[in-house]
Amino acid sequence: MSVTVRVPAKVNVQLAVGAARPDGFHDLANVFLAVSLYDEITATPSPQGLRVTCEGPDADQVPLDRTNLAARAALALAERYGREPDVHLHIAKDIPVAGGMAGGSADGAGALVACDALWGTGASRDELLAICAELGSDVPFSLVGGAALGTGRGEKLRELEVGGDFHWVFARAARGLSTPAVFREFDRLGEGLDIPEPVADQAVLDALAKGDPAALAVAVTNDLQPAALSLFPELGDTLAAGRAAGALAALVSGSGPTTAFLAPDARSASDIAGVLRASGTCRDVRTASGAVAGASVV
């Protein structure tokens, strides 16, 4: 018997970041949108105990020990229900690794749902979300999907209305960026500045609710973008190429280095993707749309 769970990537259509807290985290106003790039996590009983394997683009960069969020999710659920974590977790990657699209968080949420189904633990949604929040700031949204406003360090979610499909192009960079490194650079760039409390932009929420890509394009922001560009200046060339190709908006996705381009429609997204592929400014290009559902059993 095995259980396979499909989990989407995310793009941040607003990422407002506050000053560093005493615990080292930052308060956020983080508007997530789940998009149709997916990892799949398959859970199978394992007499040898907990095992993690991985395939797909950049799979060699994914840790296969107990630091992997999928492994940590299985361990947390097993501990909560007093059982051994005897499971083989196989991750089929399609979300960029270290790309700012919550691929690791998706794997954590997917493993949690898969193990819950495999073991028949019957955990409630609230229990699963509590474990997700312990695992990481983006993990709860990977479970929920759709669109949501994340506050606190991003783990406190309020689901949002979405009035239509939004079409995106994602350009993968030649290398990854460490999320902690980007936050450290954000702190360095903000030294001596008065950093305001992060709040959700009503224009972003209204554009999502109306399904209006033109209105969303005017409103999207990412406070981590200057830090990501400081560490990886070549991303500016990719952003410029996407804008020149007709993207309504161009931004770094989360902590980067994946860059995201909002298109008016699916055909325009395909055209923008073609221009970006030919630009020589990125490693590869994918199109996707959202909002889509969160972690779900296949």
Side-chain angles (χ1 to χ4, degrees), residues 79-215:
E79 181 178 8
R80 180 171 290 228
Y81 282 89
R83 59 167 299 135
E84 293 299 318
D86 295 333
V87 63
H88 171 205
L89 298 171
H90 181 71
I91 303 168
K93 291 293 298 179
D94 198 32
I95 302 172
V97 176
M101 298 188 73
S105 296
D107 298 342
L112 192 61
V113 173
C115 288
D116 177 59
L118 180 70
W119 295 336
T121 50
S124 69
R125 178 182 171 89
D126 286 346
E127 285 180 289
L128 294 177
L129 283 171
I131 296 173
C132 285
E134 294 169 4
L135 294 172
S137 300
D138 290 347
V139 184
F141 179 71
S142 295
L143 183 77
V144 171
L149 168 63
T151 55
R153 54 183 170 81
E155 84 285 8
K156 300 173 184 176
L157 296 180
R158 173 165 69 89
E159 294 184 56
L160 300 173
E161 180 184 353
V162 182
D165 286 334
F166 292 89
H167 296 274
W168 295 87
V169 180
F170 296 100
R172 270 206 314 163
R175 59 181 173 87
L177 268 179
S178 158
T179 295
V182 174
F183 272 98
R184 286 194 296 271
E185 183 67 0
F186 171 84
D187 292 337
R188 188 188 72 80
L189 294 174
E191 284 178 5
L193 301 178
D194 184 17
I195 298 176
E197 289 294 316
V199 294
D201 184 348
Q202 191 60 45
V204 171
L205 307 187
D206 291 344
L208 286 175
K210 293 174 183 175
D212 186 340

Side-chain angles (χ1 to χ4, degrees), residues 11-13 168 220-222 225 239 249-253 258-261:
V11 62
N12 305 90
V13 294
W168 295 87
V220 293
T221 56
N222 179 3
Q225 182 162 311
L239 293 171
L251 70 159
V252 173
S253 179
T258 300
T259 44
F261 304 89

Side-chain angles (χ1 to χ4, degrees), residues 12-130:
N12 305 90
V13 294
Q14 181 191 0
L15 181 49
V17 183
R21 307 187 318 201
D23 63 3
F25 289 104
H26 297 70
D27 284 323
L28 306 175
N30 197 350
V31 181
F32 298 100
L33 185 72
V35 295
S36 57
L37 294 177
Y38 299 96
D39 282 0
E40 289 191 350
I41 298 85
T42 299
T44 308
S46 170
Q48 295 82 28
L50 179 61
R51 297 175 54 227
V52 180
T53 54
C54 185
E55 64 175 327
D58 296 325
D60 60 323
Q61 298 178 30
V62 176
L64 302 181
D65 59 14
R66 294 191 175 202
T67 65
N68 186 294
L69 276 172
R72 289 174 55 198
L75 289 165
L77 186 67
E79 181 178 8
R80 180 171 290 228
Y81 282 89
R83 59 167 299 135
E84 293 299 318
D86 295 333
V87 63
H88 171 205
L89 298 171
H90 181 71
I91 303 168
K93 291 293 298 179
D94 198 32
I95 302 172
V97 176
M101 298 188 73
S105 296
D107 298 342
L112 192 61
V113 173
C115 288
D116 177 59
L118 180 70
W119 295 336
T121 50
S124 69
R125 178 182 171 89
D126 286 346
E127 285 180 289
L128 294 177
L129 283 171

